[in-house]
Amino acid sequence: MGMATEKSAPEKLEKWKRERRDLLQRIQELRRQGICYICQDLKTKEVFGEQHIIWEDDEFRVVLDRYPRVEGHTILTYKPHREDVSELSDGEAAAVFQMCVKVVKAIKSALGAEKVYILSMCDGPINHLNFQLLPRYPGNLMGYRRLAMERRPLEHGDETVNQIRGALRRNMSKE
Ligand SMILES: [Zn+2]
């Protein structure tokens, strides 16, 4: 391992930490103004910028988390603003959960995950319903600590997004 490699890894990590700090500040600022940062990003893309998009249609946006806790950490957003699951109609609840199931199946088959954990945070004065899908691979740690693994920079994003997208499209075309 040469000097360049030893130096560049921490620098990359520092840059990544700065970007994440800036993003969190931007989110706080929008919240202070009473603006939902997810609705804002769905409209303008100005909060998250370019993302690794697995699936997007009128109702859903499914992306790779840019600060994943595990490989394949995925965010499924239901586009209409709902604070949490209690605001979903029966029809919406069915559509949202069916979409979760499709993405879980795609993650399992594309990445070889044994199981996929589903988490829906509802922090903040303004919260936009979304689901975090966290794959567990053979031999991985189990339990709630899985949901709190340290976030890392996204690596091999293009490859991962293609794999999950491919599996999702195959599953959808079978229906
Ligand atoms: Zn919203």
Side-chain angles (χ1 to χ4, degrees):
M1 194 186 285
M3 281 293 285
T5 318
E6 284 167 23
K7 259 192 163 177
S8 66
E11 276 167 16
K12 214 172 127 187
L13 199 63
E14 277 312 306
K15 180 170 175 278
W16 172 77
K17 282 182 183 166
R18 262 199 316 277
E19 280 172 10
R20 179 159 159 71
R21 204 165 48 230
D22 290 349
L23 174 64
L24 294 175
Q25 272 175 6
R26 209 148 63 236
I27 288 171
Q28 282 309 324
E29 183 51 35
L30 286 167
R31 275 188 161 150
R32 264 197 295 274
Q33 296 170 47
I35 297 168
C36 168
Y37 70 92
I38 291 182
C39 282
Q40 183 72 7
D41 190 69
L42 287 168
K43 264 186 285 184
T44 64
K45 286 190 179 169
E46 74 185 16
V47 181
F48 297 113
E50 285 306 312
Q51 296 201 90
H52 286 88
I53 296 176
I54 295 166
W55 182 267
E56 182 152 28
D57 59 25
D58 292 343
E59 283 182 300
F60 298 101
R61 186 170 71 181
V62 184
V63 301
L64 287 182
D65 194 306
R66 60 167 65 230
Y67 307 109
R69 295 190 188 278
V70 292
E71 194 198 331
H73 185 170
T74 296
I75 308 292
L76 187 155
T77 302
Y78 182 53
K79 287 186 172 180
H81 186 91
R82 302 286 181 267
E83 284 286 323
D84 58 44
V85 291
S86 72
E87 294 190 347
L88 295 173
S89 69
D90 287 354
E92 287 178 317
V96 166
F97 205 65
Q98 279 164 10
M99 190 62 189
C100 281
V101 172
K102 284 174 185 157
V103 179
V104 164
K105 284 180 177 170
I107 291 173
K108 286 175 92 169
S109 65
L111 305 184
E114 228 164 44
K115 300 285 184 198
V116 178
Y117 296 24
I118 300 180
L119 174 67
S120 186
M121 301 288 290
C122 18
D123 287 339
I126 304 170
N127 183 70
H128 189 123
L129 177 67
N130 69 88
F131 298 87
Q132 298 188 41
L133 310 184
L134 294 121
R136 172 167 61 72
Y137 301 98
N140 276 169
L141 178 78
M142 292 193 199
Y144 69 89
R145 281 175 300 171
R146 189 112 208 104
L147 310 176
M149 306 262 291
E150 202 175 339
R151 291 181 178 274
R152 288 169 306 181
L154 176 61
E155 280 171 24
H156 318 297
D158 292 338
E159 198 183 322
T160 308
V161 87
N162 281 333
Q163 286 171 317
I164 304 175
R165 189 194 292 133
L168 187 59
R169 285 192 178 153
R170 278 194 297 281
N171 293 347
M172 294 226 180
S173 67
K174 270 187 250 163
E175 283 165 8

